[in-house]
Amino acid sequence: MKYKAYSLSNYLTLPQIEKISAEKKSSIEVVGSVLPFKVSNYVTDELIDWDDYENDPIFHLTFPQKEMLLPHHFNKMAEALVQSSDKQFHKNISNEIRLELNPHPAGQREQNIPKVEGLELLGTQHKYRETVLFFPSSGQTCHSYCTFCFRWPQFVGMDELKFAMKETELLIKYLEIHHEATDILFTGGDPMIMSFKVFEKYIEPFLYDYKKTNIQTIRIGTKSLAFWPYKFLTDDDADDFLRLFEKIISKGINLAIMAHFSHPRELATAAVQKAIKRIRNTGAQIRTQSPILRHINDKAEIWSEMWRNQVNFNCIPYYMFVPRDTGAQHYFAVTLLEAWEIWRKAYQNVSGVCRTVRGPSMSCSPGKVQFLGVGEVNHEKVFVLRFLQGRNPDWVARPFFAKYDENAIWMSDLKPAFGEKFFFEDEEETLFGEKYIDRETSNYE
Ligand SMILES: *Cc1c(COP(=O)(O)O)cnc(C)c1O
Ligand code: SF4
């Protein structure tokens, strides 16, 4: 595939470029200097409708938009680009701005990093009892970058290796001791960016040593079906991947491709449909998830259509997430109330086979919190919530209540409806010393 860096002429064909207004072009350059920008030629050639690019959801998903930066940040970067042609100067300015965009807060990651024999497993996270996340160091990039991605600090080089792991050796040791972990989830970036030779090295140890662990499901979090389905079709090593999937399954391990789809358009090409078929023919499951995003998928019909198509193509709808407060969240955020309205209209309009999906869900410090909707208790309107996942497994599936707040977009905006604290707060503080750190390491796992 053709990877295109920096200037639009590297990303797009001449006819495509000619369709973009001069103003848009310069704002892409300005915003793209601060937030990461990369797009595959499959996305530009097969997904985006250039005749209506300004309203195109996939254009919004992958191309930097002016409003993603606050006006003072935008102007600061634009001025820097005009003032000088010195790359280092541009970089200094963009780094200043990035630091004001709430990249990962200190201390957050350290909370979830497991240890074995006194050594930290820096490229892993074990937050929920059953599932360990693994960040292979070679999978820390993606085929294209989503404009809303909360992992942007790692793509612009602010977060690098700190968060990635080269080997699975220590991890297997850890899993041999921690039999409560039944699932290993490979994530990134996108693990499917790896060539087969590299990917295989991460998987093989699981196939030989899995009996000493209690791993029953291997999950792979990926957006490759939406951004580069040729990974499973025509890339040189496409067939090797499929054979490896079969091998995993032949060992009695469940393989789940956690596919990230944000819009039905991503399911509409012949390439993606064929790639889904090939993966399903190996015996692997495909489960789907996405955040709910303004400008991209903030309509109920989009979700119901997407879920229905996914089921028709033999995929299992899994999660709808609420986007985190990092990077350009002000541009993509919908309120919790809007998210729920969209959610329930979409959910009402599909049959039970699509209702395997759960959401809208916030991945925050205490756990994955689902916004169940608005209820009324003693003539008071309240938000009803519950944990889908909790740092303490005992928190899961207990309903709790927050004050009605039509402006709330994230857990940290919510106040307990009755009493001074949410039921889990004291315990969270004693367990972890901190509460309500808003960002976690997963948006689409
Ligand atoms: C979402 C998530 C998981 C997986 O949770 P499931 O509900 O089992 O899909 C695991 N670890 C972290 C940190 C997560 O955010
Ligand atoms: S959301 Fe996923 S696919 Fe998109 S840029 Fe982020 S890590 Fe990559």
Side-chain angles (χ1 to χ4, degrees):
M1 81 187 276
K2 266 194 300 181
Y3 269 129
K4 304 158 176 179
Y6 303 113
S7 91
L8 277 183
S9 59
N10 290 331
Y11 284 93
L12 300 173
T13 63
L14 210 53
Q16 288 167 345
I17 291 179
E18 278 167 1
K19 299 223 158 124
I20 305 179
S21 69
E23 200 193 336
K24 269 271 185 241
K25 276 182 205 144
S26 73
S27 67
I28 291 170
E29 197 191 335
V30 174
V31 180
S33 304
V34 179
L35 296 167
F37 172 38
K38 170 168 148 188
V39 63
S40 69
N41 56 320
Y42 168 75
V43 172
T44 56
D45 295 344
E46 298 191 46
L47 295 187
I48 294 174
D49 173 6
W50 289 102
D51 289 329
D52 190 22
Y53 75 94
E54 285 189 84
N55 297 310
D56 190 282
I58 311 300
F59 181 74
H60 282 263
L61 177 67
T62 50
F63 279 74
Q65 307 293 322
K66 182 170 186 186
E67 297 77 13
M68 283 168 52
L69 288 182
L70 294 171
H72 69 284
H73 285 147
F74 185 90
N75 294 337
K76 186 171 166 179
M77 192 69 235
E79 277 159 28
L81 291 173
V82 174
Q83 233 174 59
S84 147
S85 57
D86 178 10
K87 290 252 158 58
Q88 191 55 45
F89 174 68
H90 296 163
K91 208 168 163 188
N92 295 343
I93 298 291
S94 48
N95 278 337
E96 278 172 29
I97 299 172
R98 285 164 185 163
L99 286 172
E100 290 174 24
L101 297 179
N102 199 14
H104 287 290
Q108 177 52 33
R109 285 172 174 177
E110 285 72 36
Q111 282 184 1
N112 307 320
I113 293 175
K115 279 192 186 152
V116 68
E117 295 173 0
L119 292 172
E120 283 192 332
L121 278 70
L122 277 180
T124 64
Q125 282 214 335
H126 193 184
K127 178 172 175 180
Y128 306 132
R129 187 172 56 194
E130 288 78 16
T131 305
V132 173
L133 301 190
F134 180 56
F135 298 78
S137 56
S138 322
Q140 298 309 303
T141 181
C142 305
H143 292 93
S144 303
Y145 291 142
C146 307
T147 38
F148 63 82
C149 183
F150 72 101
R151 283 185 175 131
W152 64 271
Q154 87 189 32
F155 302 138
V156 296
M158 292 177 83
D159 257 10
E160 279 173 325
L161 294 164
K162 191 177 159 198
F163 208 23
M165 205 161 165
K166 285 207 176 66
E167 312 286 348
T168 46
E169 220 172 285
L170 267 183
L171 174 61
I172 299 261
K173 270 196 188 145
Y174 178 84
L175 295 172
E176 282 171 12
I177 303 165
H178 291 272
H179 278 204
E180 73 277 16
T182 55
D183 291 36
I184 175 87
L185 168 48
F186 287 83
T187 181
D190 189 335
M192 280 295 141
I193 198 83
M194 287 187 257
S195 70
F196 177 72
K197 284 238 146 46
V198 178
F199 184 80
E200 186 189 28
K201 288 213 176 66
Y202 287 109
I203 295 286
E204 283 286 334
F206 282 94
L207 303 185
Y208 297 120
D209 293 337
Y210 74 101
K211 286 211 167 115
K212 293 191 243 160
T213 73
N214 188 27
I215 290 301
Q216 296 166 37
T217 287
I218 293 179
R219 303 194 214 175
I220 299 166
T222 180
K223 192 152 175 84
S224 54
L225 280 166
F227 282 167
W228 191 247
Y230 299 113
K231 184 79 185 167
F232 307 100
L233 300 176
T234 52
D235 277 5
D236 289 344
D237 48 11
D239 289 351
D240 296 329
F241 274 102
L242 299 173
R243 296 299 85 76
L244 182 65
F245 290 180
E246 282 166 0
K247 192 164 160 190
I248 293 171
I249 291 155
S250 74
K251 298 274 181 185
I253 300 172
N254 176 45
L255 175 63
I257 306 299
M258 311 305 288
H260 179 184
F261 289 112
S262 301
H263 194 277
R265 175 90 56 83
E266 295 168 323
L267 290 150
T269 68
V272 68
Q273 291 170 16
K274 197 163 169 206
I276 290 172
K277 257 192 206 139
R278 294 196 89 198
I279 292 173
R280 293 287 294 122
N281 282 340
T282 68
Q285 298 176 337
I286 301 176
R287 293 179 185 265
T288 60
Q289 50 205 12
S290 172
I292 177 163
L293 302 154
R294 174 129 12 245
H295 309 291
I296 294 174
N297 60 21
D298 56 344
K299 290 199 174 59
E301 311 79 69
I302 294 177
W303 286 87
S304 50
E305 183 187 345
M306 185 160 73
W307 293 333
R308 218 176 270 126
N309 289 348
Q310 285 167 354
V311 167
N312 294 349
F313 294 137
N314 225 330
C315 305
I316 308 166
Y318 192 62
Y319 268 130
M320 175 206 266
F321 292 116
V322 177
R324 296 146 194 283
D325 62 340
T326 181
Q329 193 226 27
H330 60 272
Y331 182 69
F332 294 108
V334 299
T335 63
L336 289 175
L337 217 47
E338 287 172 290
W340 174 60
E341 290 295 347
I342 292 166
W343 160 268
R344 73 192 180 105
K345 275 193 205 122
Y347 194 81
Q348 285 166 357
N349 279 311
V350 292
S351 83
V353 291
C354 300
R355 291 187 187 165
T356 48
V357 64
R358 294 162 303 156
S361 170
M362 294 174 275
S363 291
C364 43
S365 181
K368 279 190 168 65
V369 177
Q370 180 181 22
F371 180 47
L372 287 169
V374 179
E376 208 175 298
V377 179
N378 280 340
H379 308 291
E380 188 187 337
K381 265 207 241 173
V382 291
F383 278 7
V384 187
L385 306 120
R386 69 163 173 171
F387 283 100
L388 294 169
Q389 282 287 10
R391 280 188 186 279
N392 179 345
D394 190 50
W395 298 344
V396 173
R398 290 177 191 266
F400 63 100
F401 304 96
K403 290 210 164 90
Y404 182 88
D405 181 350
E406 55 189 20
N407 298 318
I409 56 174
W410 193 249
M411 188 66 187
S412 52
D413 299 328
L414 299 179
K415 308 268 178 318
F418 312 110
E420 313 239 294
K421 288 183 175 180
F422 291 122
F423 78 90
F424 53 88
E425 278 188 273
D426 281 338
E427 197 183 341
E428 206 201 358
E429 253 171 300
T430 50
L431 275 178
F432 305 104
E434 286 178 85
K435 53 175 186 169
Y436 291 141
I437 300 167
D438 294 338
R439 276 168 302 108
E440 275 297 330
T441 46
S442 72
N443 207 352
Y444 68 97
E445 288 90 7

PDB file of all heavy atoms in Angstrom, residues 151-163:
ATOM      1  N   ARG A 151      -5.333   8.134  21.416  1.00  0.00           N
ATOM      2  CA  ARG A 151      -3.953   7.656  21.477  1.00  0.00           C
ATOM      3  C   ARG A 151      -3.013   8.576  20.722  1.00  0.00           C
ATOM      4  O   ARG A 151      -1.853   8.241  20.493  1.00  0.00           O
ATOM      5  CB  ARG A 151      -3.876   6.243  20.891  1.00  0.00           C
ATOM      6  CG  ARG A 151      -4.399   5.239  21.873  1.00  0.00           C
ATOM      7  CD  ARG A 151      -4.227   3.835  21.379  1.00  0.00           C
ATOM      8  NE  ARG A 151      -4.639   2.937  22.423  1.00  0.00           N
ATOM      9  CZ  ARG A 151      -5.481   1.913  22.266  1.00  0.00           C
ATOM     10  NH1 ARG A 151      -5.964   1.658  21.075  1.00  0.00           N
ATOM     11  NH2 ARG A 151      -5.809   1.157  23.273  1.00  0.00           N
ATOM     12  N   TRP A 152      -3.508   9.750  20.353  1.00  0.00           N
ATOM     13  CA  TRP A 152      -2.688  10.641  19.542  1.00  0.00           C
ATOM     14  C   TRP A 152      -1.327  10.950  20.142  1.00  0.00           C
ATOM     15  O   TRP A 152      -0.368  11.102  19.394  1.00  0.00           O
ATOM     16  CB  TRP A 152      -3.471  11.915  19.204  1.00  0.00           C
ATOM     17  CG  TRP A 152      -3.833  12.750  20.401  1.00  0.00           C
ATOM     18  CD1 TRP A 152      -4.946  12.649  21.168  1.00  0.00           C
ATOM     19  CD2 TRP A 152      -3.047  13.792  20.973  1.00  0.00           C
ATOM     20  NE1 TRP A 152      -4.909  13.549  22.189  1.00  0.00           N
ATOM     21  CE2 TRP A 152      -3.760  14.276  22.096  1.00  0.00           C
ATOM     22  CE3 TRP A 152      -1.813  14.379  20.652  1.00  0.00           C
ATOM     23  CZ2 TRP A 152      -3.282  15.309  22.904  1.00  0.00           C
ATOM     24  CZ3 TRP A 152      -1.344  15.404  21.451  1.00  0.00           C
ATOM     25  CH2 TRP A 152      -2.073  15.856  22.558  1.00  0.00           C
ATOM     26  N   PRO A 153      -1.162  11.018  21.499  1.00  0.00           N
ATOM     27  CA  PRO A 153       0.187  11.355  21.975  1.00  0.00           C
ATOM     28  C   PRO A 153       1.238  10.346  21.530  1.00  0.00           C
ATOM     29  O   PRO A 153       2.372  10.704  21.250  1.00  0.00           O
ATOM     30  CB  PRO A 153       0.035  11.369  23.499  1.00  0.00           C
ATOM     31  CG  PRO A 153      -1.410  11.625  23.737  1.00  0.00           C
ATOM     32  CD  PRO A 153      -2.115  10.906  22.623  1.00  0.00           C
ATOM     33  N   GLN A 154       0.848   9.080  21.426  1.00  0.00           N
ATOM     34  CA  GLN A 154       1.857   8.102  21.012  1.00  0.00           C
ATOM     35  C   GLN A 154       2.194   8.223  19.528  1.00  0.00           C
ATOM     36  O   GLN A 154       3.309   7.957  19.113  1.00  0.00           O
ATOM     37  CB  GLN A 154       1.441   6.683  21.397  1.00  0.00           C
ATOM     38  CG  GLN A 154       0.585   5.961  20.399  1.00  0.00           C
ATOM     39  CD  GLN A 154       0.037   4.649  20.971  1.00  0.00           C
ATOM     40  OE1 GLN A 154      -0.225   4.522  22.156  1.00  0.00           O
ATOM     41  NE2 GLN A 154      -0.134   3.675  20.116  1.00  0.00           N
ATOM     42  N   PHE A 155       1.234   8.696  18.730  1.00  0.00           N
ATOM     43  CA  PHE A 155       1.504   8.821  17.299  1.00  0.00           C
ATOM     44  C   PHE A 155       2.384  10.035  16.978  1.00  0.00           C
ATOM     45  O   PHE A 155       3.030  10.067  15.946  1.00  0.00           O
ATOM     46  CB  PHE A 155       0.202   8.929  16.498  1.00  0.00           C
ATOM     47  CG  PHE A 155      -0.711   7.755  16.694  1.00  0.00           C
ATOM     48  CD1 PHE A 155      -2.070   7.943  16.844  1.00  0.00           C
ATOM     49  CD2 PHE A 155      -0.201   6.468  16.733  1.00  0.00           C
ATOM     50  CE1 PHE A 155      -2.917   6.859  17.024  1.00  0.00           C
ATOM     51  CE2 PHE A 155      -1.041   5.375  16.919  1.00  0.00           C
ATOM     52  CZ  PHE A 155      -2.406   5.581  17.059  1.00  0.00           C
ATOM     53  N   VAL A 156       2.351  11.055  17.826  1.00  0.00           N
ATOM     54  CA  VAL A 156       3.190  12.220  17.560  1.00  0.00           C
ATOM     55  C   VAL A 156       4.504  12.132  18.337  1.00  0.00           C
ATOM     56  O   VAL A 156       5.254  13.086  18.412  1.00  0.00           O
ATOM     57  CB  VAL A 156       2.474  13.554  17.872  1.00  0.00           C
ATOM     58  CG1 VAL A 156       1.276  13.742  16.947  1.00  0.00           C
ATOM     59  CG2 VAL A 156       2.049  13.646  19.336  1.00  0.00           C
ATOM     60  N   GLY A 157       4.761  10.970  18.957  1.00  0.00           N
ATOM     61  CA  GLY A 157       6.054  10.754  19.585  1.00  0.00           C
ATOM     62  C   GLY A 157       6.172  11.306  20.995  1.00  0.00           C
ATOM     63  O   GLY A 157       7.260  11.445  21.528  1.00  0.00           O
ATOM     64  N   MET A 158       5.046  11.636  21.643  1.00  0.00           N
ATOM     65  CA  MET A 158       5.144  12.131  23.019  1.00  0.00           C
ATOM     66  C   MET A 158       5.174  10.985  24.028  1.00  0.00           C
ATOM     67  O   MET A 158       5.529  11.159  25.168  1.00  0.00           O
ATOM     68  CB  MET A 158       3.922  12.998  23.353  1.00  0.00           C
ATOM     69  CG  MET A 158       3.877  14.302  22.593  1.00  0.00           C
ATOM     70  SD  MET A 158       2.361  15.191  22.986  1.00  0.00           S
ATOM     71  CE  MET A 158       2.831  16.011  24.507  1.00  0.00           C
ATOM     72  N   ASP A 159       4.730   9.832  23.607  1.00  0.00           N
ATOM     73  CA  ASP A 159       4.477   8.761  24.563  1.00  0.00           C
ATOM     74  C   ASP A 159       5.246   7.482  24.292  1.00  0.00           C
ATOM     75  O   ASP A 159       5.180   6.547  25.036  1.00  0.00           O
ATOM     76  CB  ASP A 159       2.988   8.394  24.512  1.00  0.00           C
ATOM     77  CG  ASP A 159       2.285   8.989  25.697  1.00  0.00           C
ATOM     78  OD1 ASP A 159       2.919   9.793  26.378  1.00  0.00           O
ATOM     79  OD2 ASP A 159       1.125   8.655  25.914  1.00  0.00           O
ATOM     80  N   GLU A 160       5.850   7.451  23.235  1.00  0.00           N
ATOM     81  CA  GLU A 160       6.571   6.293  22.698  1.00  0.00           C
ATOM     82  C   GLU A 160       6.644   5.038  23.547  1.00  0.00           C
ATOM     83  O   GLU A 160       5.736   4.659  24.252  1.00  0.00           O
ATOM     84  CB  GLU A 160       7.956   6.729  22.301  1.00  0.00           C
ATOM     85  CG  GLU A 160       7.913   7.396  20.951  1.00  0.00           C
ATOM     86  CD  GLU A 160       9.236   7.996  20.572  1.00  0.00           C
ATOM     87  OE1 GLU A 160       9.939   8.495  21.446  1.00  0.00           O
ATOM     88  OE2 GLU A 160       9.557   7.922  19.392  1.00  0.00           O
ATOM     89  N   LEU A 161       7.809   4.432  23.523  1.00  0.00           N
ATOM     90  CA  LEU A 161       8.011   3.066  23.968  1.00  0.00           C
ATOM     91  C   LEU A 161       7.579   2.711  25.378  1.00  0.00           C
ATOM     92  O   LEU A 161       7.347   1.563  25.673  1.00  0.00           O
ATOM     93  CB  LEU A 161       9.489   2.729  23.827  1.00  0.00           C
ATOM     94  CG  LEU A 161       9.905   2.715  22.369  1.00  0.00           C
ATOM     95  CD1 LEU A 161      11.423   2.761  22.250  1.00  0.00           C
ATOM     96  CD2 LEU A 161       9.352   1.479  21.674  1.00  0.00           C
ATOM     97  N   LYS A 162       7.487   3.704  26.193  1.00  0.00           N
ATOM     98  CA  LYS A 162       7.041   3.520  27.556  1.00  0.00           C
ATOM     99  C   LYS A 162       5.890   2.511  27.632  1.00  0.00           C
ATOM    100  O   LYS A 162       5.693   1.840  28.624  1.00  0.00           O
ATOM    101  CB  LYS A 162       6.543   4.894  28.028  1.00  0.00           C
ATOM    102  CG  LYS A 162       6.274   5.010  29.491  1.00  0.00           C
ATOM    103  CD  LYS A 162       5.868   6.450  29.764  1.00  0.00           C
ATOM    104  CE  LYS A 162       5.100   6.555  31.054  1.00  0.00           C
ATOM    105  NZ  LYS A 162       4.344   7.781  31.143  1.00  0.00           N
ATOM    106  N   PHE A 163       5.154   2.431  26.549  1.00  0.00           N
ATOM    107  CA  PHE A 163       3.878   1.760  26.606  1.00  0.00           C
ATOM    108  C   PHE A 163       3.787   0.574  25.666  1.00  0.00           C
ATOM    109  O   PHE A 163       2.731   0.219  25.211  1.00  0.00           O
ATOM    110  CB  PHE A 163       2.826   2.798  26.234  1.00  0.00           C
ATOM    111  CG  PHE A 163       1.518   2.528  26.852  1.00  0.00           C
ATOM    112  CD1 PHE A 163       1.418   1.769  27.986  1.00  0.00           C
ATOM    113  CD2 PHE A 163       0.373   3.052  26.282  1.00  0.00           C
ATOM    114  CE1 PHE A 163       0.202   1.532  28.571  1.00  0.00           C
ATOM    115  CE2 PHE A 163      -0.850   2.826  26.845  1.00  0.00           C
ATOM    116  CZ  PHE A 163      -0.939   2.051  27.993  1.00  0.00           C
TER     117      PHE A 163
END
